[in-house]
Amino acid sequence: MRKDCRRHSPPTLHPPHLLHLHLLLVLFLCFSNLINKAEGGKEHRASNKTTISSLLVFGDSTVDPGNNNFIGTIFRSDFPPYGKDFKDQIPTGRFSNGRLGTDFLASFVGIKEYIPPYLDPTLSTEDLLSGVSFASAGSGFDPLTPTISNVLDIPSQLEYFKEYKRRVESAIGKGRMENHINNALFLISAGTNDFVINYFTLPIRPKTFTISAYQQFVMQNLKDLIQGLRDEGAQRMVVIGLPPMGCLPIVITLNAVETHNKQRKCIEKYSSVARDFNAMLQTELNSMQMKLAHLGFKIYYVDAYNALTNIIQSHSQLGFDEVSDGCCGTGYLEASFLCNPKSYLCPDTSRYVFFDSIHPTEKAYYNVFKAGIPTYTKIIQEFN
């Protein structure tokens, strides 16, 4: 059963002679916590200066910092409680309580602290040059997936990147722009929506695709994006694997029969599809790498599946209490507009793996990012 974290403990009354000691202890703990946070930020930042010019991001809500704020979709998160732990508690459009993995990556390689959405009309030339995200929450590699939520499809994200190149060229010239793109790091993170929201929810794709054929279909569209970016000058690329989809709270809710004596557990059917897809993805990426290595092209796979699985399985050691439901509302179904200012919010987001029924908390994103540090370090070394 779900822990009753909605219940508040009664206030504790302290004897007068202990008040000063208690106050000093609280101040000490708060000060220590600030120091630990500062040291933690320094610990996970690349020690060497990198020649990476920019971080350019494509995909879905796992890497969308707010592009959906600027398009006609209801699949948005530019309102509380989203962003409650972000700088100045601003709901930026990130589907979490704080930063995303791409924010941590940008900071780690020394580019900047946050990756902004490309569609933000207030971006400066420096914002553009140091990196932006073209991703759109609710999107996917299957062209049908983004139509469900009326969000940016992958071809549109690629077109915006071409527009981005023209804007950069007008600012710094063609030669410098081409060099800038050659030294940029590209990152792709999508695919979950294709299976969770599309194939396993709507009746359309299963009529024409077996699950194996659909995986191949999604894979081909991913390869088309990689080739499209390659044609536009991309030389370094990171592709994030699918997470254990069966562990998303909304998947558990919609596929498990709840009883008072049965715990909420990951749905193996969904997670096995993710594992199979990831194995196929690694094979395809290795093949592409071998074919294009002579051109200086590098492509890297980052394993989100085992990273998130390890968090769920070892949650107690990592300081998490809740792994099968989100912090917002009941934690079973709420996401986007269903997680809103009127929703109940758990007292401590750091105890939750998921913020809403689909998306991880900032702490979970950070732990997934840390698992990828060996790969990111290798990328930096190969850039230098």
Side-chain angles (χ1 to χ4, degrees), residues 73-318:
T73 179
I74 61 172
F75 198 59
R76 296 165 63 159
S77 59
D78 54 338
F79 44 80
Y82 290 105
K84 72 172 294 293
D85 299 310
F86 197 78
K87 182 181 179 182
D88 299 326
Q89 297 185 314
I90 297 174
T92 60
R94 288 168 172 80
F95 280 78
S96 186
N97 58 302
R99 290 166 289 178
L100 305 177
T102 40
D103 296 313
F104 293 120
L105 177 56
S107 178
F108 178 74
V109 300
I111 295 175
K112 57 183 171 186
E113 294 302 311
Y114 310 103
I115 293 294
Y118 175 70
L119 295 184
D120 183 348
T122 67
L123 294 183
S124 65
T125 299
E126 177 53 36
D127 291 328
L128 290 172
L129 288 172
S130 53
V132 293
S133 174
F134 303 90
S136 180
S139 194
F141 298 116
D142 180 348
L144 176 61
T145 303
T147 66
I148 299 169
S149 304
N150 193 35
V151 298
L152 297 178
D153 59 19
I154 295 299
S156 295
Q157 294 181 33
L158 183 56
E159 287 303 312
Y160 275 124
F161 170 59
K162 294 176 183 178
E163 177 187 90
Y164 164 89
K165 288 177 62 180
R166 293 191 294 271
R167 292 174 66 182
V168 171
E169 180 178 342
S170 67
I172 64 175
K174 185 175 182 179
R176 290 181 61 195
M177 178 276 290
E178 291 175 345
N179 185 62
H180 178 79
I181 298 302
N182 286 339
N183 288 293
L185 178 61
F186 291 74
L187 185 143
I188 301 170
S189 176
T192 300
N193 297 324
D194 293 317
F195 295 97
V196 172
I197 295 178
N198 189 341
Y199 189 88
F200 286 119
T201 302
L202 300 180
I204 300 171
R205 290 310 192 200
K207 288 182 179 180
T208 53
F209 292 99
T210 63
I211 187 59
S212 178
Y214 188 69
Q215 288 172 319
Q216 292 285 355
F217 173 68
V218 171
M219 183 67 64
Q220 184 56 53
N221 286 311
L222 168 54
K223 289 169 64 178
D224 289 345
L225 172 60
I226 293 172
Q227 186 58 53
L229 293 172
R230 175 75 190 92
D231 292 343
E232 292 299 321
Q235 285 286 85
R236 302 288 191 278
M237 200 172 299
V238 172
V239 180
I240 310 294
L242 292 181
M245 299 185 297
C247 298
L248 302 181
I250 194 168
V251 172
I252 297 174
T253 300
L254 297 177
N255 291 274
V257 178
E258 292 294 322
T259 68
H260 290 294
N261 298 317
K262 186 176 181 180
Q263 289 185 335
R264 288 167 56 84
K265 295 182 178 180
C266 300
I267 308 301
E268 173 60 17
K269 169 185 171 183
Y270 286 73
S271 293
S272 65
V273 168
R275 287 197 304 273
D276 292 345
F277 183 86
N278 288 340
M280 186 190 312
L281 174 60
Q282 291 175 76
T283 299
E284 292 288 347
L285 295 183
N286 287 336
S287 176
M288 295 183 78
Q289 174 65 77
M290 290 173 59
K291 291 177 182 176
L292 297 170
H294 68 287
L295 299 174
F297 182 74
K298 293 278 189 177
I299 191 162
Y300 308 85
Y301 172 79
V302 171
D303 182 6
Y305 186 99
N306 286 312
L308 189 54
T309 298
N310 290 339
I311 292 172
I312 292 170
Q313 293 178 345
S314 305
H315 62 274
S316 297
Q317 297 95 304
L318 297 171

